[in-house]
Amino acid sequence: MVKALINNIARELHVKPLKMLFLLILTLDIIVGIFDFRLMLKLTLLAIIGCIFTYAINIPLKKLFKTKRPQMDKYQDMEYGFPSFHTQTAFTIATIYSFYLNSLFFPTFLFATFVGISRLMTKAHKFIDIFFGSILGVLVGTIVLLM
């Protein structure tokens, strides 16, 4: 039962990973916006900045390390896998939102973890790609919060 649930989540996250991440931002913003509109705007801006920084860090690292993906035939348009962009983005967003909303710490990091698991299960990445993607995501989120 649990394995089937994880497989379904992984399949869904694989099909639309960035859409799922932006859906997470939108959902969190709606929840926050009901109670504090200014905080919602601040979190949205920080999440966008975090995504831009994630991209700016991730792409050069992929080109520097040139680590091949486990299943190259499936991901030809995305040649290099280290570090995982989706995992890094998910952990960046989780770090930013959980800093301001402590009650969302567990759900946001659980979601980010599921993003990483889905990338492993679909063989888009190796464990090391996911591991360093999550660490970089937390670091980027922390840097954005310190700005």
Side-chain angles (χ1 to χ4, degrees), residues 14-30:
H14 169 67
V15 173
K16 305 168 192 152
L18 289 179
K19 288 181 184 176
M20 293 294 288
L21 290 172
F22 289 113
L23 181 62
L24 172 66
I25 292 172
L26 181 63
T27 303
L28 292 172
D29 282 347
I30 290 170

Side-chain angles (χ1 to χ4, degrees), residues 16-17 25 47 51-52 66 72 92-93 98 102 120 122 138 141:
K16 305 168 192 152
I25 292 172
C51 289
I52 292 168
K66 297 182 180 179
M72 281 303 298
T92 298
I93 293 167
S98 64
N102 294 333
L120 282 173
T122 57
V138 171

